[in-house]
């Protein structure tokens, strides 16, 4: 067995008791949150009970105003608009949100998802849509690295609005009409980890707001207390001015308003003035911000048009956000929790998704786990097999006949994907043993010839889990003389930053710090392998490769029960940066150990202590069966699961006591 490092956080028991008294939340939930750095009562309440009213203003994203006014101009002038999307679930949901919004507003809009062209914009596709008189291109979940392609679009007289969430190139942004990406260095958006569909949702939301009655109008928030007045001025809900006013002479009208006894005051110029009583002991600036918060909540609750937009799109945002494995914290947690609620209320409103949920979930709840394990792989199968348009058409389908046809085609593509995945795993594993030194190489680079594309990223992810090192897999096309690669990394090693140091060898690349794609000439792969291995040797330490497991808290065996399992649902949805809690049990025994699974790779057993026994599974651990003795004692790490009306442990790691 591997010797992994277990990291168990110390928890202040006195502070834990104080929080329990104040918040009346289960102890195990508070322990997990404290271990993960969510410590103040305010942070805990926001985490457990996220509110859609707390979503950030889309106009805080850089270039947002410029982007939506350009899109609105195209809609009103009946210019032909092309939405150009990535081919994974994030890209497809990004496309669906923006397409439906523009179409609803009367825009002349079409969409395209690449198949054989690879990731991102393609000049040949731009040529095609130039002949179809497209004036404006909007990228979703791609475009930030398409410097040359956007230069080419500009030369054709086409304007490009980039909406993306990937890391921008280090040597400058593409010369697009505007770039909406929270990861752009100059963007001051409060949350950097939106998925592509989250950015698309924000663009769509801001576009809808351009048709509202307060668009581009100044809104004044005033707090008046004794001789002090604090002023906040908003335009499109963005603060453009704030200061304390010490002289009332210029505010006679407002002085009369705040002394009026009526809650709402008639005014000839503005009927939307509300008086709010304030707490005497609060600072005047804080009072102004409290009023601002109430104003924003009221706007959200009172605007039926925007509420309808939210409810019509947030389910797709939840789907794409979970599928793209971005952190399910902060704003993403609000988006996903809201979207899952709507999906569970009525997922059949999406006719195509309804077929998938009925077939693969069989009336069980739509959870983040269900999306990650069952729904996303099926939708991604279309893109992996070069037919992402099937999944997009399935989501966009507005009649049962088409929805069913696309679903049938998608199921076949998913079966083809499984066969391709098994073949590629076999081929890449054999080549890895020939091309890599798994003991001494800090990064594993493997190149195969003429395999089918589509599942390289999945295979790379599996290899990262097996070897604990970054992996880059290439498939060489001998006719084109080019290879397409998929990269997956480990915590602490920025794979996009590493690729940037070899960009003179690459045709193109892009992605996140943990997952990226690239294209290279076949003849340059050996030089690339040599240089990327040197970079990895310089930047990846022994500690980074050694597996560390963060333990949320220790439990007694009496605490492993249905009540604790149900308490943990308060922490859902689980996903990246909010993983399923890992617990520790000390000094337990194992009984009834048996090998299970079609490939006989897994163990089924019972964990026993103090006269209690709990069923458990230990995935991939059959090779360790001879290490487990019935009289031996162990410390274990585990997730808690529920199977057939009983708690079951999913063992993560074991240490002999």
């Amino acid at each position: 067995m591997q010797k992994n490092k277990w990291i168990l956080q110390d928890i202040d028991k006195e502070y834990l008791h104080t929080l329990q008294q104040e918040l009346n939340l289960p102890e195990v939930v508070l322990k997990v949150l404290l271990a993960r750095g969510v410590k103040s009562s305010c942070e805990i309440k926001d985490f457990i009970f996220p509110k859609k009213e707390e979503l950030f203003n889309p106009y805080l994203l850089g270039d947002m105003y410029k982007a939506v006014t350009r899109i609105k101009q195209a809609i009103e002038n009946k210019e032909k608009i092309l939405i150009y999307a990535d081919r994974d679930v994030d890209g497809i949901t990004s496309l669906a949100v923006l397409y439906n919004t523009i179409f609803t507003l009367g825009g002349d809009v079409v969409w395209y998802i690449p198949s054989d062209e690879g990731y991102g914009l393609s000049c040949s596709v731009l040529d095609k849509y130039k002949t179809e008189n497209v004036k404006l291109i909007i990228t979703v979940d791609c475009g930030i690295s398409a410097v040359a392609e956007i230069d080419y679009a500009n030369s054709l007289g086409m304007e490009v609005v980039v909406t993306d969430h990937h890391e921008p190139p280090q040597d400058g942004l593409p010369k697009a009409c505007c770039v909406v990406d929270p990861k752009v260095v100059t963007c001051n958006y409060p949350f950097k980890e939106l998925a592509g569909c989250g950015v698309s949702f924000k663009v769509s939301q801001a576009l809808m707001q351009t048709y509202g009655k307060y668009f581009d109008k100044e809104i004044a928030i005033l707090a008046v207390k004794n001789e002090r007045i604090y002023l906040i001025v908003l335009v499109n809900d963005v603060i453009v001015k704030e200061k304390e006013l010490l002289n009332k002479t210029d505010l006679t009208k407002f002085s009369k308003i705040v002394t009026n006894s009526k809650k709402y005051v008639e005014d000839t110029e503005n009927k939307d003035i509300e008086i709010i009583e304030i707490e005497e002991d609060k600072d005047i600036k804080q009072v102004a911000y409290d009023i601002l918060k109430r104003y924003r909540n009221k706007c959200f609750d009172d605007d039926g048009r925007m509420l309808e937009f939210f409810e019509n799109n947030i389910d797709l945002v939840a789907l794409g956000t979970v599928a793209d494995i971005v952190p399910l914290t902060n704003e993403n947690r609000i988006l996903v929790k809201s979207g899952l609620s709507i999906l569970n209320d009525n997922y059949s409103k999406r006719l195509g998704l309804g077929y998938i949920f009925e077939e693969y979930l069989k009336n069980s709840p739509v959870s983040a786990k269900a999306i990650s394990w069952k729904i996303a792989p099926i939708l991604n199968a279309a893109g992996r097999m070069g037919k992402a348009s099937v999944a997009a058409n399935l989501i966009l389908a507005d009649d049962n006949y088409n929805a069913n046809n696309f679903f049938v085609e998608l199921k076949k593509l998913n079966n083809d994907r499984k066969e391709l995945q098994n073949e590629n795993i076999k081929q890449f594993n054999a080549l890895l043993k020939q091309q890599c030194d798994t003991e001494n190489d800090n990064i594993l680079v493997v190149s195969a010839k003429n395999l089918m594309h589509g599942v390289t990223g999945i295979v790379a992810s599996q290899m990262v889990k097996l070897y604990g090192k970054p992996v880059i897999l290439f498939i060489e096309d001998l006719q084109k003389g080019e290879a397409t690669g998929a990269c997956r990394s480990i915590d602490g090693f920025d794979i996009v930053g590493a690729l940037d140091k070899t960009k003179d060898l690459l045709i193109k690349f892009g992605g996140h710090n943990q997952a990226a794609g690239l294209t290279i000439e076949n003849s340059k792969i050996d030089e690339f392998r040599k240089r990327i291995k040197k970079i990895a040797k310089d930047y990846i330490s022994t500690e980074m490769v050694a597996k560390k497991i963060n333990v949320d808290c220790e439990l007694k065996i009496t605490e492993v029960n249905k009540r604790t399992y149900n308490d943990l649902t308060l922490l859902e949805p689980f996903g990246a940066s909010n993983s399923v809690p890992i617990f520790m049990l000390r000094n337990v025994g194992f009984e009834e150990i048996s090998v299970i699974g079609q490939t006989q790779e897994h163990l089924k057993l019972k964990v026993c202590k103090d006269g209690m026994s709990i069923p458990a599974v230990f995935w991939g651990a059959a090779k360790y069966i001879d290490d487990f003795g019935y009289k031996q004692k162990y410390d274990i790490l585990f997730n808690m699961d529920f199977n057939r009306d009983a708690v079951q442990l999913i063992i993560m790691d074991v240490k002999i006591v």
Side-chain angles (χ1 to χ4, degrees), residues 56-64 144 164-166 168 173 179-194 199 202:
F56 299 121
N57 179 3
Y59 285 98
L60 295 175
L61 280 160
D63 270 5
M64 180 63 82
I144 195 68
D164 202 348
H165 72 126
H166 293 99
L173 297 175
V179 176
V180 182
D181 184 335
K183 289 195 173 76
V184 169
V185 175
T186 55
C187 177
N188 295 318
Y189 195 71
F191 183 60
K192 299 292 185 181
E193 301 299 333
L194 288 171
V199 177
K202 293 288 179 178

Side-chain angles (χ1 to χ4, degrees), residues 295-346:
Y295 162 74
R296 284 173 169 160
N297 289 349
K298 186 175 186 301
C299 286
F300 198 99
D301 291 338
D302 290 352
D303 192 338
R305 189 178 58 96
M306 293 306 296
L307 272 174
E308 184 179 2
F309 163 79
F310 185 89
E311 292 180 357
N312 283 344
N313 291 282
I314 200 65
D315 55 336
L316 295 177
V317 179
L319 181 62
T321 299
V322 171
D324 214 50
I325 322 178
V326 292
L328 295 190
T329 55
N330 201 296
E331 194 167 32
N332 283 341
R333 180 171 172 81
I334 303 173
L335 293 168
V336 171
K337 196 153 188 173
S338 300
L340 289 176
S341 175
I342 287 175
L343 279 172
N344 279 296
D345 283 346
N346 181 23

Side-chain angles (χ1 to χ4, degrees), residues 221-356:
I221 303 288
L222 288 109
V224 181
K225 186 175 181 181
N226 300 327
E227 295 297 313
R228 299 172 65 194
I229 299 175
Y230 199 88
L231 171 70
I232 298 175
V233 179
L234 310 170
V235 176
N236 301 328
D237 206 29
V238 176
I239 296 174
V240 295
K241 182 195 302 182
E242 64 172 305
K243 63 179 179 178
E244 185 171 345
L245 307 171
L246 300 177
N247 189 335
K248 289 186 181 180
T249 55
D250 296 330
L251 293 162
T252 305
K253 181 165 65 173
F254 286 102
S255 298
K256 289 178 181 178
I257 290 171
V258 297
T259 56
N260 194 301
S261 60
K262 294 181 180 178
K263 186 176 181 182
Y264 292 94
V265 181
E266 183 82 7
D267 179 68
T268 55
E269 296 178 5
N270 189 344
K271 307 283 178 147
D272 297 318
I273 298 173
E274 182 177 354
I275 306 305
I276 301 170
E277 292 185 9
I278 60 176
E279 299 173 30
E280 286 295 324
D281 59 343
K282 279 199 173 182
D283 175 75
I284 188 69
K285 182 177 179 180
Q286 184 57 53
V287 169
Y289 273 85
D290 286 350
I291 296 171
L292 173 59
K293 184 175 181 179
R294 289 184 60 172
Y295 162 74
R296 284 173 169 160
N297 289 349
K298 186 175 186 301
C299 286
F300 198 99
D301 291 338
D302 290 352
D303 192 338
R305 189 178 58 96
M306 293 306 296
L307 272 174
E308 184 179 2
F309 163 79
F310 185 89
E311 292 180 357
N312 283 344
N313 291 282
I314 200 65
D315 55 336
L316 295 177
V317 179
L319 181 62
T321 299
V322 171
D324 214 50
I325 322 178
V326 292
L328 295 190
T329 55
N330 201 296
E331 194 167 32
N332 283 341
R333 180 171 172 81
I334 303 173
L335 293 168
V336 171
K337 196 153 188 173
S338 300
L340 289 176
S341 175
I342 287 175
L343 279 172
N344 279 296
D345 283 346
N346 181 23
Y347 62 68
S348 60
K349 74 172 185 177
R350 305 277 180 200
L351 300 177
L353 286 179
Y355 282 110
I356 294 179

Side-chain angles (χ1 to χ4, degrees), residues 28 40 77 93 102 117 172 344 379 421 438 445 527 556 562:
V28 67
S40 73
N77 292 341
T93 51
I102 293 175
E117 304 88 357
N344 279 296
L379 288 168
Q421 186 172 322
T438 56
V445 182
E527 176 63 20
K556 300 173 185 175
K562 188 174 181 179

Side-chain angles (χ1 to χ4, degrees), residues 310-502:
F310 185 89
E311 292 180 357
N312 283 344
N313 291 282
I314 200 65
D315 55 336
L316 295 177
V317 179
L319 181 62
T321 299
V322 171
D324 214 50
I325 322 178
V326 292
L328 295 190
T329 55
N330 201 296
E331 194 167 32
N332 283 341
R333 180 171 172 81
I334 303 173
L335 293 168
V336 171
K337 196 153 188 173
S338 300
L340 289 176
S341 175
I342 287 175
L343 279 172
N344 279 296
D345 283 346
N346 181 23
Y347 62 68
S348 60
K349 74 172 185 177
R350 305 277 180 200
L351 300 177
L353 286 179
Y355 282 110
I356 294 179
F357 291 143
E358 287 168 12
E359 175 91 4
Y360 294 96
L361 297 189
K362 302 190 185 304
N363 297 318
S364 60
V366 184
S367 64
K369 180 180 177 181
I371 290 172
S372 296
W373 288 25
K374 297 180 179 180
I375 306 304
I378 295 159
L379 288 168
N380 271 329
R384 296 189 189 284
M385 302 309 293
K387 294 185 177 180
S389 59
V390 173
N393 278 315
L394 179 86
I395 287 177
L396 291 168
D398 56 5
D399 67 82
N400 272 309
Y401 178 79
N402 282 322
N404 183 62
N405 284 344
F406 289 125
F407 174 61
V408 170
E409 189 173 358
L410 186 62
K411 280 205 298 183
K412 182 181 182 306
L413 290 171
N414 189 46
N415 290 332
D416 293 343
R417 186 268 306 172
K418 289 178 182 177
E419 293 179 11
L420 175 62
Q421 186 172 322
N422 290 335
E423 177 62 24
N424 280 20
I425 288 171
K426 179 180 174 182
Q427 295 284 347
F428 274 116
N429 278 332
L431 290 167
L432 180 137
K433 293 173 184 176
Q434 299 171 21
Q435 299 177 13
C436 302
D437 181 345
T438 56
E439 290 295 322
N440 298 310
D441 290 348
N442 277 6
I443 189 168
L444 306 177
V445 182
V446 186
S447 183
K449 294 178 174 62
N450 287 332
L451 288 180
M452 282 186 63
H453 292 275
V455 295
T456 324
I458 299 175
V459 179
S461 295
Q462 292 187 1
M463 287 182 170
V464 171
K465 289 178 182 177
L466 182 62
Y467 294 101
K469 298 179 178 184
V471 173
I472 300 176
L473 302 181
F474 287 110
I475 294 178
E476 298 179 43
D477 186 321
L478 299 182
Q479 288 186 330
K480 289 184 177 179
E482 295 179 357
T484 302
C487 315
R488 296 297 183 268
S489 191
I490 59 174
D491 288 341
F493 186 66
D494 180 355
I495 193 68
V496 172
L499 293 177
D500 191 70
K501 292 178 171 61
T502 68

Side-chain angles (χ1 to χ4, degrees), residues 585-596:
L585 274 176
R586 295 186 189 270
N587 205 32
V588 300
F590 292 162
E591 293 181 357
E592 300 180 27
I593 305 171
S594 60
V595 176
I596 60 170

